[in-house]
Amino acid sequence: MSALLEHVMSPEVRPFAIAAAMILIVGSIEVVSMLVGASLSEMLGTNIDFGHPSDNGVINAISWINVGGVPLLIFLLLLLGAFSITGFLIQDIARMVAGPLPATLASVGAVAVSIPLVRAASRGIARVIPKDESYAVGLGDLVGRVGEVVIGPLDQGPPGRVSVADIHGNRHFVWAVAAPSSSPLPQGTMVLLVDRAGPRFVAVKADDELKPSKPTLSS
């Protein structure tokens, strides 16, 4: 065990060990934030819209890697993971051939290899994960829409999840709490999003006339 720890913390692989440790730290923060009714991924994902062209070359470069196709937190974890794994592999191969490379040189090689890997992986993930938000429609445009409680019940405590479609029919899964005057809204309840505070929506039970009609066999 001590030999493994000594290998992982040796100077030539230290940047890659730090990247691996950051994955554990960021993942733990995300789990804790969700338990208290927040989400690190949503807080990061609402700061910059990487999906649109920008005058900032750095943002355009990040957009090319496809950060706009997946939540920013997932992109960061992919990048850290690819950098860490690639760096350890580079040093292991170099050690078998001649000897470990300087950490700086190995880090440059790991970054060069990681970028196309992350771009390909993020494109694949973007095809299968549900989107919490759309770049075509702002979260504020979902106020006034009717959705269904998918993780509940909704009350005045920690938020649950509501599935709601925007005007284009794109499905969103948003955090929501019940209005102060509302009784708990169990899973499966159709609700009306009446307000928003940051990434959280405020919901009330939808009146019958607002509920979408159930599809028939003919339709």
Side-chain angles (χ1 to χ4, degrees):
M1 185 68 179
S2 59
L4 177 61
L5 183 61
E6 183 179 350
H7 169 68
V8 169
M9 293 308 297
S10 58
E12 62 269 16
V13 298
R14 191 167 297 160
F16 317 119
I18 292 174
M22 289 179 64
I23 294 176
L24 296 177
I25 293 171
V26 173
S28 300
I29 293 175
E30 171 69 358
V31 171
V32 172
S33 66
M34 292 185 69
L35 290 177
V36 299
S39 174
L40 179 62
S41 59
E42 289 189 353
M43 289 186 288
L44 290 175
T46 55
N47 289 336
I48 302 175
D49 184 356
F50 292 98
H52 290 148
S54 169
D55 294 332
N56 190 313
V58 175
I59 292 180
N60 286 333
I62 297 175
S63 178
W64 179 86
I65 303 174
N66 203 42
V67 68
V70 295
L72 184 55
L73 183 62
I74 291 180
F75 168 78
L76 292 175
L77 293 177
L78 283 174
L79 187 59
L80 289 171
F83 175 76
S84 178
I85 294 172
T86 303
F88 277 112
L89 288 176
I90 289 175
Q91 291 293 44
D92 287 341
I93 294 173
R95 189 177 288 107
M96 288 187 295
V97 174
L101 300 172
T104 302
L105 182 59
S107 297
V108 171
V111 170
V113 175
S114 298
I115 289 176
L117 290 178
V118 171
R119 186 168 191 255
S122 64
R123 286 180 179 273
I125 293 174
R127 296 190 183 100
V128 298
I129 63 172
K131 300 296 191 300
D132 280 353
E133 56 185 357
S134 167
Y135 295 115
V137 175
L139 287 179
D141 295 324
L142 298 178
V143 175
R145 306 290 298 180
V146 174
E148 180 181 356
V149 179
V150 293
I151 299 179
L154 303 187
D155 51 27
Q156 289 74 39
R161 283 282 195 174
V162 171
S163 171
V164 58
D166 60 29
I167 59 175
H168 303 295
N170 299 319
R171 184 63 54 178
H172 304 257
F173 297 86
V174 299
W175 295 106
V177 296
S181 59
S182 172
S183 58
L185 304 170
Q187 184 174 332
T189 303
M190 301 304 296
V191 296
L192 175 66
L193 303 180
V194 296
D195 198 2
R196 180 173 73 93
R200 299 189 192 185
F201 287 82
V202 177
V204 298
K205 186 175 182 180
D207 295 333
D208 290 337
E209 59 266 21
L210 295 177
K211 298 178 181 178
S213 58
K214 295 186 179 296
T216 63
L217 291 178
S218 60
S219 61

